[in-house]
């Protein structure tokens, strides 16, 4: 018998005892344990017990399986200890014992850029996490931004630092707006790891929403969002994770910083949004200073 403790989602707090030494978990009723979240594949995961040891195997699911922050290789058994948090899609659960930690913290620590090695057991007290973001580095970034007076160099510098801070970013763009009209200006600085000039650089609907609300938008997995929150362009560009924060200086919106991750969900963590937001204020001031310097230079030229 295998006991499953669901940590979030529609079945949060429920426990399920399933007969057998090997069980299948997924969204389909054909599984030994059915979980209803749409981020879970119809046949997602296999769990096997052998004596006092537990093993999990992802069944080539769409959104993958994450054990304590690391994505496991499909069709490869990984040993897990009792009480260890496991994620299938957006749903977290533990085997045999309830997980006593914070599910939000687990999600923040997930790193899908790394995988657990075959045969490597994961214990309840040896969580492999990504390193904590170094706020001192952000401070140094802010100092560097304040020293730049050229608007193009400032925008390029901001994006370069973002790509250093957030390794999961596939594409990024900084968009400035006319403070009089609120419309997108001509100055756009963009970057993508795998450039394809036939692909749009950003989701216009996301950018427009941030410009209108002056509030950040964060989607860890776009496919798990309500259909009304997604646009056709997001699906066309294969955007799976997205963050967009406003650039606000002296209560005026100067533009947005937009980044996304394609193909894989959970490309960004909540901690990433905090870092991007922390960087947005000094970035907005740097943009304002650079624009002011450009204006003064033009006036001198006249």
């Amino acid at each position: 018998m295998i006991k499953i403790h669901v940590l979030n989602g529609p079945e949060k707090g429920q426990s399920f005892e399933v007969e057998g030494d090997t069980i299948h978990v997924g969204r389909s009723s054909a599984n030994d344990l059915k979980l209803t979240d749409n981020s879970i594949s119809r046949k997602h995961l296999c769990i096997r017990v052998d004596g006092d040891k537990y093993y999990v195997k992802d069944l080539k699911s769409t959104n993958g399986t994450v054990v304590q922050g690391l994505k496991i290789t499909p069709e490869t058994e990984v040993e897990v200890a009792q009480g260890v948090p496991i994620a299938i899609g957006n749903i977290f659960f533990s085997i045999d014992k309830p997980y006593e930690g914070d599910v939000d913290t687990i999600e923040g620590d997930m790193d899908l850029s790394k995988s657990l090695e075959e045969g490597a057991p994961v214990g309840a007290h040896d969580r492999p996490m990504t390193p904590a973001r170094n706020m001192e580095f952000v401070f140094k970034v802010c100092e560097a931004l304040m020293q730049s007076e050229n608007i193009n160099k400032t925008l390029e510098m901001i994006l370069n630092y973002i790509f250093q801070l957030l390794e999961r970013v596939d594409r990024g763009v900084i968009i400035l707006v006319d403070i009089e009209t609120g419309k997108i200006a001509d100055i756009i600085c963009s970057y993508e790891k795998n450039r394809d000039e036939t692909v749009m650089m950003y989701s216009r609907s996301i950018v427009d929403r941030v410009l209108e609300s002056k509030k950040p938008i964060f989607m860890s997995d776009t496919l798990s969002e309500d259909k009304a929150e997604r646009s056709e362009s997001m699906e066309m560009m294969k955007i799976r994770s997205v963050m967009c924060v406003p650039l606000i200086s002296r209560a005026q919106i100067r533009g947005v910083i937009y980044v996304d991750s394609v193909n894989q969900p959970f490309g960004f963590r909540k901690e990433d949004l905090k870092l991007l937001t922390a960087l947005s204020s000094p970035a907005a001031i740097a943009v304002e200073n650079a624009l002011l310097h450009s204006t003064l230079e033009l006036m001198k030229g006249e």
Side-chain angles (χ1 to χ4, degrees), residues 117-129:
E117 295 181 359
E118 183 175 358
V122 181
H125 302 291
D126 58 354
R127 292 175 60 193
M129 297 181 182

Side-chain angles (χ1 to χ4, degrees), residues 196-254:
D196 182 349
E197 295 183 356
T198 65
V199 177
M200 294 174 59
M201 282 300 303
Y202 65 91
S203 167
R204 182 61 183 265
S205 61
I206 293 291
V207 169
D208 287 344
R209 285 165 56 188
V210 172
L211 289 175
E212 182 178 354
S213 67
K214 297 182 180 180
K215 295 180 180 180
I217 287 179
F218 170 80
M219 293 184 184
S220 179
D221 181 11
T222 59
L223 293 186
S224 67
E225 300 287 335
D226 292 337
K227 192 171 183 180
E229 299 294 318
R230 305 196 308 269
S231 65
E232 291 184 6
S233 63
M234 291 173 67
E235 296 184 6
M236 181 183 69
M237 290 185 287
K238 300 180 181 179
I239 297 172
R240 293 302 304 272
S241 302
V242 61
M243 294 190 295
C244 187
V245 299
L247 294 172
I248 298 176
S249 175
R250 293 190 293 185
Q252 290 185 317
I253 187 162
R254 300 281 175 176

